[in-house]
Amino acid sequence: MSLSVDELTEMIKKRLFIELEASGRHVHLTKQAALRLFGHALTEKRPLSQPGQFVCNERVTLVTEKGRLEHVAVLGPERKECQVELSLTDCVTLGIRAPIRLSGHTENTPGLTLQNGEASLRLDSGVIVAQRHIHMTPEDAALHGLSDGESVNLKTLTGRPLTFDQVIVRVSPSFCTFAHLDYDEANACGFQKGDLGIIV
């Protein structure tokens, strides 16, 4: 079966490059937390690149003794545990020290208070700085010769190219292939939407 030029170009692109995405500060909530803060379940505003994931219409304010961040995005669907993902710059604003972790690894992490108007919810833990990572389909992982949990170096083909090390590969049939950088990392390398990276 012959391939069109566009199909061949896309195949080569997937073999060589990883599309980059910038991931801003956001919150994941349980169903109970959503009911406490909003009085209803989360509602979808727009889909994200990962299947089934979406930005919600709902927003929260993050509050600590030393600072606050308003209008913080909530991502759905609801999860089994609440989690807050920040950049290191956000942590300075809030006056907290959050560890760099993969999503879901919230043991021994600081907490804060979530607010929506008069409603509030205190989290005793769950605040992390997200470890840079690549979501990858099993097919794309096979193309790159990678496995789940592997650490790679990723060079950004951006306005200010950088090579990030310790980028964790996360493989699942429920993923689409994208590399996620937080806003500190994205700004440092001059990221623009549609930019690519290459594993080196």
Side-chain angles (χ1 to χ4, degrees), residues 46-178:
R46 61 176 174 83
L48 294 169
S49 62
Q50 297 305 309
Q53 307 292 308
F54 54 89
V55 177
C56 300
N57 291 298
E58 294 74 27
R59 296 267 170 158
V60 294
T61 297
L62 310 182
V63 181
T64 67
E65 293 181 356
K66 296 184 178 180
R68 62 193 289 126
L69 290 168
E70 299 185 346
H71 307 297
V72 176
V74 177
L75 303 188
E78 288 104 349
R79 292 193 175 184
K80 294 181 180 179
E81 293 184 353
C82 293
Q83 179 174 286
V84 179
E85 297 185 35
L86 303 174
S87 70
L88 290 171
T89 298
D90 294 332
C91 291
V92 172
T93 300
L94 293 172
I96 59 176
R97 290 189 178 184
I100 299 171
R101 298 274 183 84
L102 288 175
S103 180
H105 294 249
T106 58
E107 61 279 0
N108 300 315
T109 55
L112 45 65
T113 298
L114 307 177
Q115 290 184 348
N116 174 46
E118 296 299 314
S120 67
L121 176 64
R122 172 65 191 176
L123 301 181
D124 292 327
S125 63
V127 182
I128 65 169
V129 174
Q131 169 74 44
R132 47 185 174 251
H133 57 278
I134 303 172
H135 291 282
M136 194 170 279
T137 65
E139 295 78 13
D140 287 342
L143 279 175
H144 289 275
L146 298 172
S147 58
D148 185 59
E150 195 166 346
S151 177
V152 299
N153 294 341
L154 180 71
K155 181 175 182 178
T156 66
L157 307 177
T158 52
R160 300 171 68 186
L162 289 175
T163 299
F164 291 109
D165 60 4
Q166 297 181 349
V167 183
I168 305 301
V169 177
R170 308 190 73 181
V171 180
S172 170
S174 65
F175 289 159
C176 283
T177 300
F178 284 92

